[in-house]
Amino acid sequence: MLGPIAAWSDGRPLSVGGPRQRCVLGALLVHLGREVTVDQLISYLWNDDPPRTARSVIQVQIHHLRQLLPDSIATTSGGYILDVAPETVDLHRFRGLRERAANSEPELRLDLLDQGLECWRGVPFSGVGSDFLEHSIVAPLREERWAAVVAWASCALDLGRQAEVVSRLTPMVSEEPFRERLHLLLITALWRDNERARALAVYETFRANLAEELGVDPGPELTALHGRILRDDARSARVTDQAAAPATGHGSGYIVRNDLPRDLPDFTGRRDSLRLLEEISQGDDDLAKVCVITGAGGEGKTTTAVRFGYEAAKRFPDGQLFIDLYGYTSNKEPLDSSSALAALLRAVGVRPDSVPESLDERSALWRATLMGRRTLVILDNAASYAQVSPLLSSSPGSMTLITTRNDLAGLSGARFLSLGMFDESTSLELLERVVGRDRVRAEPEAARDIIRICDGLPLALRVLAGRMVSRPRWSFAHVARRLGERNRKFRELSVEGQSVESAIDLSYQSLSDDQRRAFLLLGLMIGNTVDLGGAAALLDMELEDADDTLQELVGVCLLNEPQGDVYRLHDLIRAFSLERALAEFEDGEVESARTRLAEFYLETAQHGAEVMGVHGRADPDTGEARHRTYLSGREEAEGWFSLHQENLTDTIEYFAASDNGDSAWRLADAVWRYYALHGHMALLISSQERAFQVSDKQGNQRGRAVTLIGLGIAHCLSGRFEESLALLTEARDLLEAVGDAKGMIRALANLAMAYERLGRFEDAVAASRGVLEYAISVGNTRVEALQRGNLALFHRILGRYEEALETCEQALRDSSDEDNADMRSRAMTTMGEAYLGLGDLKSAFRALDDAMERARRSQLVASQIYIHNSLGIAHRVAGRWDQAVECHTEALALGEASGNRSGDAEIRADLGVTHHAAGRYEEAAVELEKAHALAVERGERYIEARAALALGRLPVPVMPADRARTLLRGAERAFTVMGVPELGQARAALAELDAG
């Protein structure tokens, strides 16, 4: 039947997949027998903002549909064609029946139109597609339906079947509140069926809707019909129902009242929300305003609405009405609309015996009673759109304020306000107001601990503050300890009928069985957030189905969506969900869910590591995982790692705690590159150490070796070069013992960098050449380009500037900008430094600026540190001392902020040389002494010698001659062993000192 996309076979429904697949199928069915291009399908799904993977997604949907409809979908040059019998498709069957009806006699016409309308069961494409789909396909289809409905109703009225018209059109007018022809036919049918009062009520509802939403009156045909109905009533001299008397809204019986609950004297925060409500209330006075305050239980929706009611009371002189709809109230069913209207009508003065029986008449009387009045109505604790829709005022200048945990889908023309949690300052303010400023300021850190535990939830803070008021000897530290005790948190968050757990439980009880299961599974997530792909794995659903379920939970405010397709449970909601999940699920089910999510992280991280560049993973994928996010390029991969960096560390811990050492080291191996490039040293070290522990415990030699490499890299980047060398050497030996040639090459590649930092340049060159030879032999151009970049660095240090440039150029030719951005950035940095060595300042700045632009674009923190320092050297050579110092200082600051301290000694040495060149000898001595001491501590012999050379060249009395001579002789010996060009400078400085 026409409506949501569905399929049947032999009377049994078929699964047609998630929203995207249903959308693609629907588009092919609408254009049956005609080509639907891929571009059309992309627009139907995503408007003008498709993801990079849009074409791949379409291909996947077509693949699944071909399994559902074998031999029915043909590929064309630009898209696809679906070829099935038109009579098997409801839309085309409907169109055929409508065409036959056009030329038939009235009785047959009515029957054919009736059969055609039976093909419909809702809105086409509901829940799928884009705005473009809505305008280009859905809206025209709906017009076809309404044209058929009008034709059927007109024919039925001609045949005297007004009761059938009333039965069919009554629910339809609520779907189309502005379709005038439909209302005219319904009102005519009601009048002819002796339902004059209902006919007038339908007219009044339609007229009020037009005035409120569009600012227009009904057309002349409907207005004339209304007049005929009224005149017919006058001629027949019928006695009207007394309930109509106050329906004008201006009768003497109207009562102005203020029903608002007590305002909290210690109301805190929400000033931005109150300002927004104020702006809405002062908007266009020709319209009735509606605002919906949404949020989870305990966020303070009612409190905020009530405070606004008191502050804005003068703006609504005809009353401030408040009614609790019990949408989320323990042991109470939600108040139905009819009962709510009865209460509201009585509140404004309508006599109980004058309240109509039907919902429609009560709603019409409610709108008429308020017409022309400026009234504020607060509908508190609403459950659904259907519950509040009949309660909305249509009087210009009035305002209806709705509080709800639901998204009230379908409420058009309303403004929405989401409260969210208190920030730290507002939370502290609330505690000070309730508990007292002295108690809070006596324990500021413990008070902040309480705020973190409550995660800014106002109800939780109020409950705890209330307990502390009644227990003056309790300290914040004592409360924090009680909250930290197992299974005690929710007991502590309950006082005098207020309970955080109960507030959450009311929302939980409103869920369907499938939604409850999904909510409980989300409580088992690893880490604090989960994206759509991870949620699909955790829930064991297809992506589209998981998307629908997550949005349903967002809609009832049990789940937050801080950014698109990324989800988080409030800490207390997470605690509730986890506790219920552990109680309701079997142990095997809990572990299965967590393992699915952990394996999703592992699969996607390994895929992302390969997308980012060389990461040395030993084993290729053996198959296609059901749950894995596919990353189209480096930028997307880095974005995914950035989003999940802490979740990945938690997943390594999960694997390790589960004694799944193999998965632990594989995941640690997949994430190290991102952590290293972006300076996340703490995460890098903690992840590698945890994976190493479990590998060591289980005697997994390969796992130990891989994590030793990761730890070696972490220690190298942190400036612990001797430790790094020892770890990498052990890893190489282990990999050699297990016969892992590929792993040995990776160990060698990292050993080359450790050798370089220790001034063992020939060892570094040998290690790097060994890796290069291996890469060439297996045709791995990525590794080849990386090693050429490393060799170029060593050539530059050894003074072979032309060779360094040539090697860099070869490395750049061997790689693309996308697949090895960090290598290209480092190669451009080495080129800039080589140009400096050759005295070509213009080319040096051009290369270094290019390197910096690449590093910033790819957020390569480690590269930026060294580029800043190299730019400082270039500015020094150009005689721009202040710019040079600024660049060196920026390099130091960035290293400190990121935790990447590998370049500290080198940067301080260069900063000292810059001060020396500027004649700032005291500043130079300070920085050079720091550099020298740090290099000695770390075993950086090359930087130690460079700092000694610069110190020895400082003038007397800044540097005494005896110490200068000792420093210069030590530098000469070191440079001789290393074979670097600074040897000549050391000898010249010694000669000058001896001559002086």
Side-chain angles (χ1 to χ4, degrees), residues 635-659:
E635 183 177 350
E636 198 169 307
E638 294 205 350
W640 186 86
F641 277 114
S642 176
L643 177 65
H644 296 289
Q645 53 188 283
E646 294 185 359
N647 293 343
L648 293 168
T649 301
D650 289 342
T651 304
I652 293 171
E653 174 59 37
Y654 169 77
F655 280 135
S658 304
D659 284 333

PDB file of all heavy atoms in Angstrom, residues 635-659:
ATOM      1  N   GLU A 635      42.351  12.682   5.900  1.00  0.00           N
ATOM      2  CA  GLU A 635      41.648  13.660   6.734  1.00  0.00           C
ATOM      3  C   GLU A 635      40.515  13.000   7.511  1.00  0.00           C
ATOM      4  O   GLU A 635      40.328  13.256   8.700  1.00  0.00           O
ATOM      5  CB  GLU A 635      41.103  14.780   5.853  1.00  0.00           C
ATOM      6  CG  GLU A 635      40.415  15.896   6.637  1.00  0.00           C
ATOM      7  CD  GLU A 635      39.950  17.019   5.737  1.00  0.00           C
ATOM      8  OE1 GLU A 635      40.317  17.032   4.545  1.00  0.00           O
ATOM      9  OE2 GLU A 635      39.203  17.879   6.232  1.00  0.00           O
ATOM     10  N   GLU A 636      39.763  12.135   6.841  1.00  0.00           N
ATOM     11  CA  GLU A 636      38.659  11.451   7.502  1.00  0.00           C
ATOM     12  C   GLU A 636      39.187  10.495   8.570  1.00  0.00           C
ATOM     13  O   GLU A 636      38.605  10.360   9.648  1.00  0.00           O
ATOM     14  CB  GLU A 636      37.837  10.702   6.458  1.00  0.00           C
ATOM     15  CG  GLU A 636      36.448  10.305   6.932  1.00  0.00           C
ATOM     16  CD  GLU A 636      35.583   9.812   5.802  1.00  0.00           C
ATOM     17  OE1 GLU A 636      35.454  10.526   4.791  1.00  0.00           O
ATOM     18  OE2 GLU A 636      35.040   8.702   5.924  1.00  0.00           O
ATOM     19  N   ALA A 637      40.320   9.834   8.268  1.00  0.00           N
ATOM     20  CA  ALA A 637      40.907   8.915   9.246  1.00  0.00           C
ATOM     21  C   ALA A 637      41.372   9.671  10.491  1.00  0.00           C
ATOM     22  O   ALA A 637      41.110   9.244  11.625  1.00  0.00           O
ATOM     23  CB  ALA A 637      42.075   8.157   8.617  1.00  0.00           C
ATOM     24  N   GLU A 638      42.031  10.802  10.296  1.00  0.00           N
ATOM     25  CA  GLU A 638      42.516  11.559  11.448  1.00  0.00           C
ATOM     26  C   GLU A 638      41.346  12.114  12.255  1.00  0.00           C
ATOM     27  O   GLU A 638      41.416  12.180  13.484  1.00  0.00           O
ATOM     28  CB  GLU A 638      43.437  12.680  10.980  1.00  0.00           C
ATOM     29  CG  GLU A 638      44.729  12.170  10.359  1.00  0.00           C
ATOM     30  CD  GLU A 638      45.867  13.167  10.442  1.00  0.00           C
ATOM     31  OE1 GLU A 638      45.612  14.317  10.816  1.00  0.00           O
ATOM     32  OE2 GLU A 638      47.007  12.785  10.152  1.00  0.00           O
ATOM     33  N   GLY A 639      40.266  12.507  11.551  1.00  0.00           N
ATOM     34  CA  GLY A 639      39.084  12.967  12.271  1.00  0.00           C
ATOM     35  C   GLY A 639      38.495  11.867  13.137  1.00  0.00           C
ATOM     36  O   GLY A 639      38.062  12.114  14.269  1.00  0.00           O
ATOM     37  N   TRP A 640      38.494  10.631  12.600  1.00  0.00           N
ATOM     38  CA  TRP A 640      37.953   9.510  13.372  1.00  0.00           C
ATOM     39  C   TRP A 640      38.834   9.227  14.588  1.00  0.00           C
ATOM     40  O   TRP A 640      38.329   9.028  15.698  1.00  0.00           O
ATOM     41  CB  TRP A 640      37.858   8.262  12.491  1.00  0.00           C
ATOM     42  CG  TRP A 640      37.171   7.110  13.173  1.00  0.00           C
ATOM     43  CD1 TRP A 640      35.837   6.866  13.227  1.00  0.00           C
ATOM     44  CD2 TRP A 640      37.798   6.065  13.925  1.00  0.00           C
ATOM     45  NE1 TRP A 640      35.593   5.730  13.960  1.00  0.00           N
ATOM     46  CE2 TRP A 640      36.770   5.215  14.400  1.00  0.00           C
ATOM     47  CE3 TRP A 640      39.120   5.758  14.234  1.00  0.00           C
ATOM     48  CZ2 TRP A 640      37.032   4.085  15.166  1.00  0.00           C
ATOM     49  CZ3 TRP A 640      39.376   4.630  15.014  1.00  0.00           C
ATOM     50  CH2 TRP A 640      38.336   3.805  15.468  1.00  0.00           C
ATOM     51  N   PHE A 641      40.158   9.202  14.405  1.00  0.00           N
ATOM     52  CA  PHE A 641      41.062   8.973  15.540  1.00  0.00           C
ATOM     53  C   PHE A 641      40.914  10.081  16.576  1.00  0.00           C
ATOM     54  O   PHE A 641      40.936   9.821  17.785  1.00  0.00           O
ATOM     55  CB  PHE A 641      42.505   8.901  15.066  1.00  0.00           C
ATOM     56  CG  PHE A 641      42.915   7.543  14.555  1.00  0.00           C
ATOM     57  CD1 PHE A 641      43.244   7.353  13.225  1.00  0.00           C
ATOM     58  CD2 PHE A 641      42.971   6.455  15.400  1.00  0.00           C
ATOM     59  CE1 PHE A 641      43.625   6.111  12.747  1.00  0.00           C
ATOM     60  CE2 PHE A 641      43.341   5.200  14.942  1.00  0.00           C
ATOM     61  CZ  PHE A 641      43.669   5.034  13.609  1.00  0.00           C
ATOM     62  N   SER A 642      40.788  11.322  16.104  1.00  0.00           N
ATOM     63  CA  SER A 642      40.646  12.443  17.037  1.00  0.00           C
ATOM     64  C   SER A 642      39.390  12.285  17.884  1.00  0.00           C
ATOM     65  O   SER A 642      39.408  12.510  19.100  1.00  0.00           O
ATOM     66  CB  SER A 642      40.586  13.761  16.252  1.00  0.00           C
ATOM     67  OG  SER A 642      40.366  14.854  17.115  1.00  0.00           O
ATOM     68  N   LEU A 643      38.308  11.880  17.248  1.00  0.00           N
ATOM     69  CA  LEU A 643      37.042  11.718  17.955  1.00  0.00           C
ATOM     70  C   LEU A 643      37.119  10.605  18.995  1.00  0.00           C
ATOM     71  O   LEU A 643      36.549  10.705  20.084  1.00  0.00           O
ATOM     72  CB  LEU A 643      35.934  11.422  16.938  1.00  0.00           C
ATOM     73  CG  LEU A 643      34.537  11.151  17.496  1.00  0.00           C
ATOM     74  CD1 LEU A 643      33.990  12.393  18.183  1.00  0.00           C
ATOM     75  CD2 LEU A 643      33.611  10.711  16.369  1.00  0.00           C
ATOM     76  N   HIS A 644      37.857   9.533  18.687  1.00  0.00           N
ATOM     77  CA  HIS A 644      37.822   8.327  19.520  1.00  0.00           C
ATOM     78  C   HIS A 644      39.112   8.092  20.296  1.00  0.00           C
ATOM     79  O   HIS A 644      39.292   6.993  20.833  1.00  0.00           O
ATOM     80  CB  HIS A 644      37.535   7.101  18.652  1.00  0.00           C
ATOM     81  CG  HIS A 644      36.185   7.127  18.006  1.00  0.00           C
ATOM     82  ND1 HIS A 644      35.024   6.949  18.713  1.00  0.00           N
ATOM     83  CD2 HIS A 644      35.809   7.336  16.717  1.00  0.00           C
ATOM     84  CE1 HIS A 644      33.990   7.025  17.894  1.00  0.00           C
ATOM     85  NE2 HIS A 644      34.438   7.262  16.685  1.00  0.00           N
ATOM     86  N   GLN A 645      40.011   9.070  20.379  1.00  0.00           N
ATOM     87  CA  GLN A 645      41.335   8.799  20.927  1.00  0.00           C
ATOM     88  C   GLN A 645      41.274   8.216  22.342  1.00  0.00           C
ATOM     89  O   GLN A 645      42.006   7.270  22.663  1.00  0.00           O
ATOM     90  CB  GLN A 645      42.196  10.062  20.894  1.00  0.00           C
ATOM     91  CG  GLN A 645      41.566  11.280  21.542  1.00  0.00           C
ATOM     92  CD  GLN A 645      42.373  12.538  21.299  1.00  0.00           C
ATOM     93  OE1 GLN A 645      43.396  12.758  21.939  1.00  0.00           O
ATOM     94  NE2 GLN A 645      41.948  13.355  20.365  1.00  0.00           N
ATOM     95  N   GLU A 646      40.398   8.729  23.194  1.00  0.00           N
ATOM     96  CA  GLU A 646      40.319   8.191  24.553  1.00  0.00           C
ATOM     97  C   GLU A 646      39.526   6.887  24.580  1.00  0.00           C
ATOM     98  O   GLU A 646      39.838   5.980  25.373  1.00  0.00           O
ATOM     99  CB  GLU A 646      39.703   9.233  25.482  1.00  0.00           C
ATOM    100  CG  GLU A 646      40.602  10.455  25.647  1.00  0.00           C
ATOM    101  CD  GLU A 646      40.075  11.452  26.643  1.00  0.00           C
ATOM    102  OE1 GLU A 646      38.988  11.204  27.204  1.00  0.00           O
ATOM    103  OE2 GLU A 646      40.736  12.480  26.864  1.00  0.00           O
ATOM    104  N   ASN A 647      38.517   6.773  23.723  1.00  0.00           N
ATOM    105  CA  ASN A 647      37.779   5.507  23.646  1.00  0.00           C
ATOM    106  C   ASN A 647      38.699   4.368  23.240  1.00  0.00           C
ATOM    107  O   ASN A 647      38.546   3.232  23.704  1.00  0.00           O
ATOM    108  CB  ASN A 647      36.639   5.617  22.635  1.00  0.00           C
ATOM    109  CG  ASN A 647      35.557   6.585  23.077  1.00  0.00           C
ATOM    110  OD1 ASN A 647      35.487   6.945  24.250  1.00  0.00           O
ATOM    111  ND2 ASN A 647      34.726   7.009  22.154  1.00  0.00           N
ATOM    112  N   LEU A 648      39.657   4.650  22.355  1.00  0.00           N
ATOM    113  CA  LEU A 648      40.577   3.614  21.888  1.00  0.00           C
ATOM    114  C   LEU A 648      41.482   3.143  23.020  1.00  0.00           C
ATOM    115  O   LEU A 648      41.758   1.946  23.155  1.00  0.00           O
ATOM    116  CB  LEU A 648      41.394   4.142  20.708  1.00  0.00           C
ATOM    117  CG  LEU A 648      40.577   4.399  19.435  1.00  0.00           C
ATOM    118  CD1 LEU A 648      41.392   5.190  18.423  1.00  0.00           C
ATOM    119  CD2 LEU A 648      40.101   3.083  18.826  1.00  0.00           C
ATOM    120  N   THR A 649      41.942   4.080  23.837  1.00  0.00           N
ATOM    121  CA  THR A 649      42.754   3.687  24.992  1.00  0.00           C
ATOM    122  C   THR A 649      41.922   2.837  25.965  1.00  0.00           C
ATOM    123  O   THR A 649      42.410   1.833  26.507  1.00  0.00           O
ATOM    124  CB  THR A 649      43.285   4.936  25.716  1.00  0.00           C
ATOM    125  OG1 THR A 649      44.066   5.709  24.799  1.00  0.00           O
ATOM    126  CG2 THR A 649      44.160   4.557  26.891  1.00  0.00           C
ATOM    127  N   ASP A 650      40.656   3.223  26.162  1.00  0.00           N
ATOM    128  CA  ASP A 650      39.775   2.419  27.016  1.00  0.00           C
ATOM    129  C   ASP A 650      39.542   1.032  26.418  1.00  0.00           C
ATOM    130  O   ASP A 650      39.391   0.046  27.159  1.00  0.00           O
ATOM    131  CB  ASP A 650      38.431   3.131  27.204  1.00  0.00           C
ATOM    132  CG  ASP A 650      38.543   4.360  28.086  1.00  0.00           C
ATOM    133  OD1 ASP A 650      39.545   4.470  28.822  1.00  0.00           O
ATOM    134  OD2 ASP A 650      37.646   5.212  28.042  1.00  0.00           O
ATOM    135  N   THR A 651      39.513   0.937  25.098  1.00  0.00           N
ATOM    136  CA  THR A 651      39.307  -0.358  24.451  1.00  0.00           C
ATOM    137  C   THR A 651      40.526  -1.253  24.632  1.00  0.00           C
ATOM    138  O   THR A 651      40.394  -2.472  24.837  1.00  0.00           O
ATOM    139  CB  THR A 651      38.998  -0.176  22.964  1.00  0.00           C
ATOM    140  OG1 THR A 651      37.855   0.691  22.825  1.00  0.00           O
ATOM    141  CG2 THR A 651      38.696  -1.499  22.279  1.00  0.00           C
ATOM    142  N   ILE A 652      41.720  -0.671  24.568  1.00  0.00           N
ATOM    143  CA  ILE A 652      42.929  -1.451  24.853  1.00  0.00           C
ATOM    144  C   ILE A 652      42.858  -1.999  26.273  1.00  0.00           C
ATOM    145  O   ILE A 652      43.178  -3.175  26.524  1.00  0.00           O
ATOM    146  CB  ILE A 652      44.187  -0.587  24.653  1.00  0.00           C
ATOM    147  CG1 ILE A 652      44.359  -0.238  23.162  1.00  0.00           C
ATOM    148  CG2 ILE A 652      45.435  -1.301  25.169  1.00  0.00           C
ATOM    149  CD1 ILE A 652      45.433   0.789  22.897  1.00  0.00           C
ATOM    150  N   GLU A 653      42.409  -1.184  27.205  1.00  0.00           N
ATOM    151  CA  GLU A 653      42.248  -1.639  28.587  1.00  0.00           C
ATOM    152  C   GLU A 653      41.215  -2.757  28.664  1.00  0.00           C
ATOM    153  O   GLU A 653      41.396  -3.730  29.400  1.00  0.00           O
ATOM    154  CB  GLU A 653      41.829  -0.459  29.472  1.00  0.00           C
ATOM    155  CG  GLU A 653      41.483  -0.833  30.907  1.00  0.00           C
ATOM    156  CD  GLU A 653      42.644  -1.495  31.638  1.00  0.00           C
ATOM    157  OE1 GLU A 653      43.806  -1.087  31.413  1.00  0.00           O
ATOM    158  OE2 GLU A 653      42.382  -2.423  32.426  1.00  0.00           O
ATOM    159  N   TYR A 654      40.125  -2.629  27.896  1.00  0.00           N
ATOM    160  CA  TYR A 654      39.100  -3.678  27.892  1.00  0.00           C
ATOM    161  C   TYR A 654      39.683  -4.998  27.395  1.00  0.00           C
ATOM    162  O   TYR A 654      39.475  -6.052  28.006  1.00  0.00           O
ATOM    163  CB  TYR A 654      37.921  -3.265  27.014  1.00  0.00           C
ATOM    164  CG  TYR A 654      36.952  -4.398  26.756  1.00  0.00           C
ATOM    165  CD1 TYR A 654      36.040  -4.790  27.731  1.00  0.00           C
ATOM    166  CD2 TYR A 654      36.984  -5.101  25.552  1.00  0.00           C
ATOM    167  CE1 TYR A 654      35.166  -5.849  27.509  1.00  0.00           C
ATOM    168  CE2 TYR A 654      36.116  -6.154  25.327  1.00  0.00           C
ATOM    169  CZ  TYR A 654      35.204  -6.527  26.309  1.00  0.00           C
ATOM    170  OH  TYR A 654      34.355  -7.583  26.099  1.00  0.00           O
ATOM    171  N   PHE A 655      40.417  -4.940  26.287  1.00  0.00           N
ATOM    172  CA  PHE A 655      41.031  -6.163  25.759  1.00  0.00           C
ATOM    173  C   PHE A 655      42.000  -6.760  26.782  1.00  0.00           C
ATOM    174  O   PHE A 655      42.024  -7.969  27.013  1.00  0.00           O
ATOM    175  CB  PHE A 655      41.774  -5.864  24.465  1.00  0.00           C
ATOM    176  CG  PHE A 655      40.890  -5.769  23.250  1.00  0.00           C
ATOM    177  CD1 PHE A 655      41.065  -4.741  22.331  1.00  0.00           C
ATOM    178  CD2 PHE A 655      39.911  -6.710  23.000  1.00  0.00           C
ATOM    179  CE1 PHE A 655      40.271  -4.657  21.194  1.00  0.00           C
ATOM    180  CE2 PHE A 655      39.101  -6.640  21.873  1.00  0.00           C
ATOM    181  CZ  PHE A 655      39.283  -5.603  20.966  1.00  0.00           C
ATOM    182  N   ALA A 656      42.821  -5.895  27.391  1.00  0.00           N
ATOM    183  CA  ALA A 656      43.814  -6.386  28.344  1.00  0.00           C
ATOM    184  C   ALA A 656      43.144  -7.004  29.563  1.00  0.00           C
ATOM    185  O   ALA A 656      43.539  -8.079  30.024  1.00  0.00           O
ATOM    186  CB  ALA A 656      44.739  -5.241  28.766  1.00  0.00           C
ATOM    187  N   ALA A 657      42.100  -6.340  30.089  1.00  0.00           N
ATOM    188  CA  ALA A 657      41.406  -6.870  31.265  1.00  0.00           C
ATOM    189  C   ALA A 657      40.691  -8.176  30.951  1.00  0.00           C
ATOM    190  O   ALA A 657      40.468  -8.997  31.848  1.00  0.00           O
ATOM    191  CB  ALA A 657      40.400  -5.835  31.773  1.00  0.00           C
ATOM    192  N   SER A 658      40.355  -8.373  29.671  1.00  0.00           N
ATOM    193  CA  SER A 658      39.697  -9.619  29.249  1.00  0.00           C
ATOM    194  C   SER A 658      40.702 -10.690  28.854  1.00  0.00           C
ATOM    195  O   SER A 658      40.319 -11.725  28.305  1.00  0.00           O
ATOM    196  CB  SER A 658      38.763  -9.327  28.063  1.00  0.00           C
ATOM    197  OG  SER A 658      37.834  -8.325  28.377  1.00  0.00           O
ATOM    198  N   ASP A 659      41.988 -10.412  29.077  1.00  0.00           N
ATOM    199  CA  ASP A 659      43.070 -11.334  28.705  1.00  0.00           C
ATOM    200  C   ASP A 659      43.102 -11.613  27.204  1.00  0.00           C
ATOM    201  O   ASP A 659      43.534 -12.685  26.762  1.00  0.00           O
ATOM    202  CB  ASP A 659      42.967 -12.658  29.474  1.00  0.00           C
ATOM    203  CG  ASP A 659      43.441 -12.508  30.918  1.00  0.00           C
ATOM    204  OD1 ASP A 659      44.271 -11.613  31.168  1.00  0.00           O
ATOM    205  OD2 ASP A 659      42.961 -13.261  31.779  1.00  0.00           O
TER     206      ASP A 659
END
